[in-house]
Amino acid sequence: MDAVYMSRNTVFAATAGAKTVLKLISPTGFNLKIHEFAISMDGVTATAVPATVDWGTSDETAAGTSTGSPVTTQIKGQTIANGITLGQNFSAEGTTYTVHGHLFVPQFMGVLIYQNPLGLEPVSPAGNADSFFLRINVSANVNVLAWVKWSRA
């Protein structure tokens, strides 16, 4: 049985502008398969315009600066070390992002849960250090929580 992991950020206050909420960085020769991810906000203004949420990969040539302490927990399968590096709440954004998808999510109590169809999960490229990221662009101050369910590919 494959090991499955859940990586999550610690809640933080996002201010206006784009910010990487959570990034999973794999070492060279290690591929990530993304099964599911989620992001939620607790904005207090019902009339606030929706935030944009981006997800995708980065080749980590300009990784950015992470703050805080995200956590990974194994939730299924034989116990095995996860082997990744996590980042969250980036104070300086990376510059080599490839966006694979994006959506609007309400800032006022907005929630997005995105499940990839079985057999069609995105997999990070082989042979290089690479990452999967969730990035949010808000127009008002909101608290943000996010998580990614993943396995080794």
Side-chain angles (χ1 to χ4, degrees):
M1 182 184 305
D2 291 337
V4 177
Y5 304 90
M6 183 79 75
S7 296
R8 61 181 172 81
N9 73 322
T10 53
V11 67
F12 70 89
T15 57
K19 177 157 311 243
T20 299
V21 175
L22 187 61
K23 187 187 284 190
L24 288 68
I25 305 166
S26 63
T28 301
F30 181 120
N31 302 87
L32 297 174
K33 181 189 292 185
I34 306 301
H35 300 284
E36 182 177 271
F37 60 85
I39 192 164
S40 64
M41 293 163 277
D42 74 344
V44 296
T45 306
T47 58
V49 298
T52 56
V53 174
D54 298 330
W55 62 91
T57 56
S58 171
D59 66 9
E60 293 306 300
T61 55
T65 305
S66 172
T67 61
S69 301
V71 177
T72 295
T73 304
Q74 185 171 342
I75 60 171
K76 179 184 170 195
Q78 183 178 353
T79 302
I80 185 170
N82 64 60
I84 65 165
T85 302
L86 293 175
Q88 74 164 29
N89 187 15
F90 280 64
S91 60
E93 290 294 312
T95 58
T96 57
Y97 290 156
T98 301
V99 175
H100 295 247
H102 53 251
L103 291 168
F104 287 117
V105 178
Q107 293 182 82
F108 179 67
M109 307 310 277
V111 176
L112 167 68
I113 299 174
Y114 189 91
Q115 294 181 319
N116 288 303
L118 186 61
L120 297 176
E121 302 96 332
V123 176
S124 61
N128 297 317
D130 198 32
S131 69
F132 173 82
F133 69 85
L134 289 174
R135 185 174 57 192
I136 192 167
N137 192 341
V138 298
S139 63
N141 294 350
V142 296
N143 290 319
V144 180
L145 280 173
W147 53 263
V148 176
K149 188 184 295 183
W150 62 275
S151 64
R152 293 182 180 207

